[in-house]
Amino acid sequence: MGTLVAHVLTGFAFLALGLWHLFNNIKLFCLRPNTFISSPWFPGPKIRYLELYLMMFFASAYISMELFIGPGRHHSDGIIPSNRLHNFEHASISMAFLVYAVFALVLGRERPRAVASEGLTILAQAAAFAQELLLLHFHSSDHMGVEGQYHLILQFIIFVSLLTTLIGIALPKSFLVSLVRSSSIAFQGAWLILIGYMLYTPSLIPKGCFIHDEERHKGVKCSTEEALNRAKSLVNIEFSWLFVTNTMFVVTLYLILDRVYGGNIQYSSLTTNYPSEQYDEEQQHFEPQSTQKMCFVQMGKLVDHGDKM
């Protein structure tokens, strides 16, 4: 994933997934605030498992690009060259999400016979985020300097996605947990897109730094310590601005969807096992008895009144 195109495409996939979850979670909460239950994936408008199908397609395509199509031949004599280790690490991340999508599809279809299918699906999603976090933290390419600052913040965002996913197993009815999880996935995609442009576009490299073409991948180097500290500070500022923008977008989206779907709130009511027709018949059966009791009371009053006279 050490190119602009790879970062942008991967970021777009996470951004689209996060926005899709964000929209559906807010919409579901606006329609059913009292019975809201989050879901690890949401059915498509026409194809129920469209989200999982697209995830499997993009993950498979990315694995193929990293291992077979993009870099050419990886190994000779059964040995993986050190300059190709990062390709296998990136492919392993995609493989984790591919496994999650496959299990989510299987568990979704076996839902009537699998009581714990929802929890197992969320656990598989959490495992994918955990593998992504660990592989980026123990990356074979030592992310130092400006690049290291970008990836350090990326690990923090992934950790938020992992943590909220795990909390969602215990608190599936928490709207705030699902909101933070969805927004963190979208934020992860936006941050990856930003990394791609800021690290691999020469005109966007901070002053005093330059793109250095190393043997294993391209990286950003700075000529002085002052330039490096300035570049890291710019990364922190970019994160702050993007974080504020993300917060404004989430709250604005909630207000818009609440105005659109908030008026169609579906309340849950207590129901009985009696059919409506049977209920009407019983009401008709009890009404004459109540009327008869009222007649007896009135006749008793008339008799007492006659005796007094």
Side-chain angles (χ1 to χ4, degrees):
M1 198 167 57
T3 62
L4 186 150
V5 176
H7 279 87
V8 171
L9 291 179
T10 306
F12 177 78
F14 277 102
L15 179 62
L17 179 64
L19 292 178
W20 171 249
H21 281 214
L22 195 63
F23 171 79
N24 283 279
N25 277 313
I26 296 177
K27 177 183 176 181
L28 185 61
F29 179 76
C30 291
L31 291 175
R32 300 177 180 178
N34 297 327
T35 59
F36 172 82
I37 297 179
S38 182
S39 176
W41 61 273
F42 293 92
K46 294 184 179 181
I47 303 176
R48 176 174 177 80
Y49 301 103
L50 179 61
E51 175 186 334
L52 301 178
Y53 290 150
L54 290 176
M55 187 177 297
M56 288 187 289
F57 171 77
F58 282 112
S60 301
Y62 192 83
I63 293 173
S64 300
M65 288 295 297
E66 287 287 346
L67 298 183
F68 307 110
I69 301 175
R73 188 174 182 179
H74 282 286
H75 53 82
S76 58
D77 300 331
I79 299 176
I80 302 176
S82 58
N83 61 339
R84 297 303 183 188
L85 287 173
H86 65 280
N87 296 108
F88 281 85
E89 292 168 344
H90 298 157
S92 298
I93 295 174
S94 298
M95 190 177 300
F97 285 97
L98 175 61
V99 171
Y100 153 70
V102 171
F103 275 109
L105 180 62
V106 174
L107 292 172
R109 291 179 174 178
E110 298 294 330
R111 182 182 301 272
R113 296 184 293 275
V115 180
S117 60
E118 194 79 10
L120 290 174
T121 303
I122 300 176
L123 187 62
Q125 187 182 59
F129 284 126
Q131 180 159 328
E132 180 187 16
L133 178 61
L134 290 176
L135 286 176
L136 284 177
H137 182 74
F138 300 105
H139 205 278
S140 60
S141 300
D142 294 331
H143 293 144
M144 303 296 291
V146 182
E147 186 179 0
Q149 192 72 7
Y150 277 110
H151 284 83
L152 180 63
I153 295 176
L154 177 61
Q155 293 175 41
F156 169 75
I157 301 172
I158 297 172
F159 176 76
V160 174
S161 300
L162 171 61
L163 182 62
T164 51
T165 302
L166 291 174
I167 296 176
I169 299 177
L171 301 174
K173 297 182 180 181
S174 175
F175 170 68
L176 293 180
V177 172
S178 62
L179 185 72
V180 174
R181 181 178 69 247
S182 303
S183 61
S184 66
I185 295 174
F187 191 81
Q188 182 183 162
W191 189 249
L192 281 170
I193 294 174
L194 183 68
I195 290 177
Y197 281 105
M198 299 304 295
L199 288 182
Y200 301 99
T201 304
S203 59
L204 297 178
I205 301 299
K207 183 179 179 180
C209 303
F210 55 93
I211 297 179
H212 179 66
D213 192 359
E214 299 178 353
E215 179 184 358
R216 303 171 72 174
H217 72 289
K218 292 183 179 180
V220 176
K221 299 291 184 181
C222 297
S223 55
T224 62
E225 189 70 20
E226 181 181 358
L228 176 61
N229 293 332
R230 178 180 178 275
K232 288 183 177 181
S233 298
L234 290 176
V235 174
N236 297 334
I237 294 175
E238 291 168 8
F239 169 75
S240 300
W241 288 356
L242 189 60
F243 182 78
V244 172
T245 303
N246 180 74
T247 304
M248 293 173 57
F249 173 79
V250 171
V251 176
T252 303
L253 180 63
Y254 173 80
L255 294 175
I256 294 174
L257 294 181
D258 181 65
R259 178 170 296 184
V260 174
Y261 298 104
N264 301 323
I265 297 178
Q266 301 177 6
Y267 293 99
S268 59
S269 58
L270 295 176
T271 58
T272 62
N273 295 327
Y274 296 104
S276 59
E277 297 180 356
Q278 182 178 354
Y279 177 78
D280 295 337
E281 293 178 0
E282 291 181 353
Q283 286 295 102
Q284 295 175 2
H285 175 70
F286 286 119
E287 285 178 359
Q289 293 181 358
S290 61
T291 305
Q292 186 177 4
K293 291 180 180 179
M294 290 298 297
C295 293
F296 284 136
V297 173
Q298 293 176 359
M299 289 177 63
K301 290 181 178 181
L302 290 175
V303 171
D304 292 339
H305 181 69
D307 292 340
K308 292 180 180 180
M309 292 179 62

